[in-house]
């Protein structure tokens, strides 16, 4: 059998299927001086670097949008009432 690589890149997207360790997980999510996104310590793709202030802005915006979506359910009901058909009566006098 041919040994398949456990980490690398496929079409420019990183993957890593090595057994995760606590040290590698912590070091992947907290890397001061690096960019906003980092390669995931396990799996496919990228993750946020929590040492970057930009990552916290992204998390805050995502949380605010999620809160607005869940709390703003009554706004959708009002717009549905406006979309109902209206009966028009024309008087031919």
């Amino acid at each position: 059998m041919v040994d398949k690589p456990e980490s690398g890149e496929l079409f420019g997207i990183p993957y890593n299927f090595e057994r995760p360790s606590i040290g590698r997980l912590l070091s992947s999510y907290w890397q001061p001086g690096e960019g906003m996104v980092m390669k995931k310590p396990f799996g496919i793709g990228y993750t946020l670097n929590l040492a970057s202030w930009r990552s916290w802005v992204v998390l805050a915006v995502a949380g605010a949008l999620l809160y607005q979506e869940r709390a703003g359910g009554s706004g959708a009901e009002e717009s549905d009432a406006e979309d109902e058909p209206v009966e028009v009566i024309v008087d031919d006098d």
Side-chain angles (χ1 to χ4, degrees):
M1 285 190 155
V2 177
D3 290 334
K4 296 180 182 178
E6 293 182 351
S7 65
E9 286 191 11
L10 184 63
F11 302 114
I13 300 173
Y15 66 90
N16 188 353
F17 294 113
E18 297 172 356
R19 174 172 271 159
S21 67
I22 298 297
R24 197 171 81 209
L25 288 172
L26 292 176
S27 68
S28 293
Y29 291 107
W30 192 268
Q31 292 188 6
E34 296 293 326
M36 186 175 99
V37 293
M38 307 300 298
K39 293 180 182 177
K40 289 181 90 170
F42 181 77
I44 301 170
Y46 298 93
T47 188
L48 291 175
N49 178 11
L50 297 178
S52 172
W53 64 270
R54 291 177 188 97
S55 298
W56 290 102
V57 171
V58 168
L59 289 174
V61 168
L65 290 173
L66 182 63
Y67 176 77
Q68 179 184 11
E69 179 184 73
R70 291 188 179 177
S74 62
E77 294 170 1
E78 292 174 4
S79 66
D80 290 342
E82 294 174 1
D83 294 338
E84 292 181 12
V86 178
E87 184 179 347
V88 178
I89 299 174
V90 178
D91 190 19
D92 289 335
D93 285 333

